[in-house]
């Protein structure tokens, strides 16, 4: 165990001095452990890969900070935990923003933007129209009638959690189709 500790200390010292070889050894040693740890928190392989890449990017960019770190492995997992929590918090903020009023009408400056907005609204209407009846009704009561989740739950005699689940599924469908449209638009 002492040999591993000394070996780790030497690697960190070399990393601090800018050694790419030391970084590569650290990366190969810790990447699977960090990825599995992050996956346990986010439950998504893609997100876990992205977050783990970000963690190691931070390690390289901020390598000078590690000069005084005694237990690099523990520090790395704290960095991983904090980076993951920041990611989850940003995801939650995005969901909350989408739940507020995701498709408020805006004024557009050009005829092209107006046409895109009308096409987008038509696409949204088509997606909503093809939703299962209960999800469609809950979405319409929320977005078009402006009712709160509690009001919808009371009106339809459902639990508030069921209403929230249906809204989340509806928004997920809309985000997926909008992402597809955005990709087509940008290409």
């Amino acid at each position: 165990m002492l040999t591993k500790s000394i070996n780790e200390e030497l690697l960190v010292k070399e990393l601090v001095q800018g050694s790419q070889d030391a970084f590569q050894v650290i990366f190969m040693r810790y990447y699977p452990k960090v990825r599995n740890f992050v996956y346990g928190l986010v439950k998504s392989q893609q997100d876990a890969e992205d977050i783990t890449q970000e963690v190691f990017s931070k390690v390289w960019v901020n390598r000078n900070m590690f000069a005084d770190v005694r237990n690099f492995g523990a520090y790395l997992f704290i960095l991983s935990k904090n980076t993951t929590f920041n990611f989850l918090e940003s995801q939650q903020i995005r969901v909350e923003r989408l739940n507020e009023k995701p498709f408020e009408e805006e004024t557009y400056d050009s005829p092209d933007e107006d046409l895109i907005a009308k096409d987008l609204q038509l696409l949204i209407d088509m997606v909503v129209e093809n939703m299962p009846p209960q999800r469609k009704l809950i979405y319409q009561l929320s977005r078009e009638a402006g009712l709160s989740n509690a009001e919808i739950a009371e009106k339809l005699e459902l639990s508030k959690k069921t209403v929230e689940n249906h809204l989340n599924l509806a928004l997920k469908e809309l985000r997926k189709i909008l992402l597809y449209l955005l990709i087509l638009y940008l290409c």
Side-chain angles (χ1 to χ4, degrees):
M1 182 67 178
L2 185 61
T3 306
K4 183 180 178 190
S5 174
I6 293 171
N7 188 15
E8 185 175 275
E9 287 178 22
L10 290 174
L11 278 172
V12 172
K13 283 181 183 177
E14 289 179 24
L15 173 68
V16 169
Q17 294 172 0
S19 169
Q20 291 181 0
D21 292 334
F23 177 76
Q24 186 174 7
V25 170
I26 289 170
F27 181 87
M28 298 303 286
R29 180 180 292 174
Y30 286 103
Y31 187 88
K33 295 174 187 176
V34 170
R35 185 188 61 230
N36 290 336
F37 172 72
V38 171
Y39 177 75
L41 296 172
V42 297
K43 305 293 189 235
S44 161
Q45 285 291 349
Q46 184 61 49
D47 289 341
E49 291 285 335
D50 293 345
I51 293 167
T52 305
Q53 289 291 332
E54 183 178 345
V55 167
F56 281 97
S57 176
K58 287 179 180 181
V59 167
W60 178 252
V61 170
N62 301 311
R63 61 189 175 273
N64 294 333
M65 292 177 20
F66 298 109
D68 298 325
V69 172
R70 297 233 186 264
N71 186 339
F72 180 77
Y75 187 89
L76 184 61
F77 281 95
I78 290 170
L79 176 64
S80 301
K81 177 189 70 143
N82 291 340
T83 303
T84 302
F85 287 168
N86 289 342
F87 170 81
L88 291 172
E89 184 178 322
S90 71
Q91 291 294 96
Q92 182 61 33
I93 290 170
R94 282 189 205 128
V95 168
E96 287 171 2
R97 285 185 183 157
L98 281 175
N99 284 338
E100 287 173 2
K101 292 220 181 228
F103 308 111
E104 289 183 10
E105 298 220 9
E106 297 180 14
T107 56
Y108 294 95
D109 297 330
S110 73
D112 288 341
E113 290 175 338
D114 191 37
L115 182 61
I116 291 170
K118 287 179 182 177
D119 287 347
L120 182 59
Q121 188 58 52
L122 179 63
L123 181 63
I124 291 168
D125 292 342
M126 289 171 50
V127 171
V128 170
E129 192 61 38
N130 288 319
M131 288 179 184
Q134 189 171 22
R135 187 176 309 154
K136 175 182 170 184
L137 177 60
I138 290 172
Y139 177 84
Q140 289 171 331
L141 289 172
S142 173
R143 297 305 187 248
E144 294 169 13
L147 298 179
S148 70
N149 292 353
E151 293 170 327
I152 296 169
E154 185 178 321
K155 181 177 181 127
L156 299 180
E157 298 179 354
L158 299 170
S159 74
K160 186 176 175 187
K161 187 69 176 167
T162 300
V163 171
E164 290 170 358
N165 288 340
H166 276 289
L167 280 175
N168 284 334
L169 290 170
L171 293 172
K172 186 176 181 180
E173 285 181 51
L174 289 169
R175 280 192 299 272
K176 187 167 62 173
I177 198 72
L178 292 174
L179 178 62
Y180 178 72
L181 180 66
L182 179 63
I183 290 170
L184 286 177
Y185 179 73
L186 293 175
C187 292

